[in-house]
PDB file of all heavy atoms in Angstrom:
ATOM      1  N   GLY A 212      95.882  83.089 107.269  1.00 82.00           N
ATOM      2  CA  GLY A 212      96.428  83.826 106.141  1.00 82.00           C
ATOM      3  C   GLY A 212      95.405  84.814 105.619  1.00 82.00           C
ATOM      4  O   GLY A 212      94.848  85.597 106.373  1.00 82.00           O
ATOM      5  N   THR A 213      95.137  84.748 104.308  1.00 75.00           N
ATOM      6  CA  THR A 213      94.111  85.628 103.744  1.00 75.00           C
ATOM      7  C   THR A 213      92.708  85.052 103.938  1.00 75.00           C
ATOM      8  O   THR A 213      91.731  85.714 103.620  1.00 75.00           O
ATOM      9  CB  THR A 213      94.349  85.852 102.236  1.00 75.00           C
ATOM     10  OG1 THR A 213      94.265  84.607 101.551  1.00 75.00           O
ATOM     11  CG2 THR A 213      95.705  86.509 101.989  1.00 75.00           C
ATOM     12  N   THR A 214      92.620  83.810 104.440  1.00 76.00           N
ATOM     13  CA  THR A 214      91.311  83.224 104.704  1.00 76.00           C
ATOM     14  C   THR A 214      90.856  83.679 106.086  1.00 76.00           C
ATOM     15  O   THR A 214      90.882  82.926 107.060  1.00 76.00           O
ATOM     16  CB  THR A 214      91.356  81.692 104.636  1.00 76.00           C
ATOM     17  OG1 THR A 214      91.940  81.296 103.401  1.00 76.00           O
ATOM     18  CG2 THR A 214      89.959  81.089 104.746  1.00 76.00           C
ATOM     19  N   THR A 215      90.463  84.908 106.176  1.00 84.00           N
ATOM     20  CA  THR A 215      89.995  85.464 107.438  1.00 84.00           C
ATOM     21  C   THR A 215      88.797  86.370 107.151  1.00 84.00           C
ATOM     22  O   THR A 215      88.566  86.806 106.027  1.00 84.00           O
ATOM     23  CB  THR A 215      91.075  86.314 108.134  1.00 84.00           C
ATOM     24  OG1 THR A 215      91.537  87.329 107.228  1.00 84.00           O
ATOM     25  CG2 THR A 215      92.255  85.453 108.554  1.00 84.00           C
ATOM     26  N   TRP A 216      88.062  86.635 108.206  1.00 80.00           N
ATOM     27  CA  TRP A 216      86.964  87.580 108.133  1.00 80.00           C
ATOM     28  C   TRP A 216      87.574  88.969 108.151  1.00 80.00           C
ATOM     29  O   TRP A 216      88.286  89.347 109.083  1.00 80.00           O
ATOM     30  CB  TRP A 216      86.029  87.348 109.316  1.00 80.00           C
ATOM     31  CG  TRP A 216      84.861  88.275 109.386  1.00 80.00           C
ATOM     32  CD1 TRP A 216      84.273  88.949 108.358  1.00 80.00           C
ATOM     33  CD2 TRP A 216      84.126  88.627 110.565  1.00 80.00           C
ATOM     34  NE1 TRP A 216      83.224  89.699 108.816  1.00 80.00           N
ATOM     35  CE2 TRP A 216      83.097  89.522 110.163  1.00 80.00           C
ATOM     36  CE3 TRP A 216      84.222  88.271 111.898  1.00 80.00           C
ATOM     37  CZ2 TRP A 216      82.200  90.063 111.059  1.00 80.00           C
ATOM     38  CZ3 TRP A 216      83.316  88.800 112.795  1.00 80.00           C
ATOM     39  CH2 TRP A 216      82.321  89.683 112.385  1.00 80.00           C
ATOM     40  N   ASP A 217      87.310  89.771 107.124  1.00 78.00           N
ATOM     41  CA  ASP A 217      87.979  91.054 106.969  1.00 78.00           C
ATOM     42  C   ASP A 217      87.697  92.021 108.117  1.00 78.00           C
ATOM     43  O   ASP A 217      88.511  92.908 108.400  1.00 78.00           O
ATOM     44  CB  ASP A 217      87.569  91.711 105.645  1.00 78.00           C
ATOM     45  CG  ASP A 217      88.123  90.961 104.449  1.00 78.00           C
ATOM     46  OD1 ASP A 217      89.137  90.266 104.614  1.00 78.00           O
ATOM     47  OD2 ASP A 217      87.544  91.068 103.350  1.00 78.00           O
ATOM     48  N   ARG A 218      86.559  91.881 108.781  1.00 79.00           N
ATOM     49  CA  ARG A 218      86.219  92.823 109.847  1.00 79.00           C
ATOM     50  C   ARG A 218      86.463  92.248 111.238  1.00 79.00           C
ATOM     51  O   ARG A 218      85.975  92.786 112.237  1.00 79.00           O
ATOM     52  CB  ARG A 218      84.769  93.271 109.706  1.00 79.00           C
ATOM     53  CG  ARG A 218      84.512  94.062 108.426  1.00 79.00           C
ATOM     54  CD  ARG A 218      83.239  94.855 108.468  1.00 79.00           C
ATOM     55  NE  ARG A 218      82.067  94.032 108.672  1.00 79.00           N
ATOM     56  CZ  ARG A 218      81.090  94.297 109.555  1.00 79.00           C
ATOM     57  NH1 ARG A 218      81.190  95.333 110.339  1.00 79.00           N
ATOM     58  NH2 ARG A 218      80.047  93.506 109.644  1.00 79.00           N
ATOM     59  N   ALA A 219      87.246  91.184 111.319  1.00 72.00           N
ATOM     60  CA  ALA A 219      87.581  90.635 112.624  1.00 72.00           C
ATOM     61  C   ALA A 219      88.519  91.588 113.372  1.00 72.00           C
ATOM     62  O   ALA A 219      89.282  92.336 112.743  1.00 72.00           O
ATOM     63  CB  ALA A 219      88.267  89.272 112.468  1.00 72.00           C
ATOM     64  N   PRO A 220      88.466  91.606 114.705  1.00 71.00           N
ATOM     65  CA  PRO A 220      89.362  92.481 115.466  1.00 71.00           C
ATOM     66  C   PRO A 220      90.825  92.157 115.196  1.00 71.00           C
ATOM     67  O   PRO A 220      91.205  91.009 115.007  1.00 71.00           O
ATOM     68  CB  PRO A 220      88.992  92.171 116.931  1.00 71.00           C
ATOM     69  CG  PRO A 220      87.629  91.564 116.868  1.00 71.00           C
ATOM     70  CD  PRO A 220      87.555  90.839 115.566  1.00 71.00           C
ATOM     71  N   MET A 221      91.633  93.190 115.154  1.00 68.00           N
ATOM     72  CA  MET A 221      93.068  92.999 114.964  1.00 68.00           C
ATOM     73  C   MET A 221      93.674  92.389 116.230  1.00 68.00           C
ATOM     74  O   MET A 221      93.325  92.787 117.342  1.00 68.00           O
ATOM     75  CB  MET A 221      93.750  94.332 114.650  1.00 68.00           C
ATOM     76  CG  MET A 221      93.329  94.945 113.326  1.00 68.00           C
ATOM     77  SD  MET A 221      93.836  93.933 111.915  1.00 68.00           S
ATOM     78  CE  MET A 221      95.602  94.138 112.004  1.00 68.00           C
ATOM     79  N   PRO A 222      94.590  91.413 116.076  1.00 66.00           N
ATOM     80  CA  PRO A 222      95.207  90.812 117.266  1.00 66.00           C
ATOM     81  C   PRO A 222      96.116  91.796 117.976  1.00 66.00           C
ATOM     82  O   PRO A 222      96.706  92.688 117.367  1.00 66.00           O
ATOM     83  CB  PRO A 222      96.009  89.636 116.689  1.00 66.00           C
ATOM     84  CG  PRO A 222      96.263  90.013 115.261  1.00 66.00           C
ATOM     85  CD  PRO A 222      95.069  90.812 114.831  1.00 66.00           C
ATOM     86  N   GLY A 223      96.217  91.638 119.286  1.00 66.00           N
ATOM     87  CA  GLY A 223      97.118  92.474 120.062  1.00 66.00           C
ATOM     88  C   GLY A 223      98.549  91.986 119.968  1.00 66.00           C
ATOM     89  O   GLY A 223      98.829  90.887 119.451  1.00 66.00           O
ATOM     90  N   GLU A 224      99.456  92.786 120.465  1.00 65.00           N
ATOM     91  CA  GLU A 224     100.881  92.425 120.368  1.00 65.00           C
ATOM     92  C   GLU A 224     101.200  91.141 121.113  1.00 65.00           C
ATOM     93  O   GLU A 224     102.103  90.390 120.726  1.00 65.00           O
ATOM     94  CB  GLU A 224     101.749  93.565 120.921  1.00 65.00           C
ATOM     95  CG  GLU A 224     101.724  94.828 120.061  1.00 65.00           C
ATOM     96  CD  GLU A 224     102.637  95.915 120.608  1.00 65.00           C
ATOM     97  OE1 GLU A 224     103.314  95.652 121.640  1.00 65.00           O
ATOM     98  OE2 GLU A 224     102.677  97.011 120.024  1.00 65.00           O
TER      99      GLU A 224
END
Side-chain angles (χ1 to χ4, degrees):
T213 62
T214 307
T215 55
W216 179 24
D217 291 337
R218 295 198 301 133
M221 294 295 292
E224 292 182 2

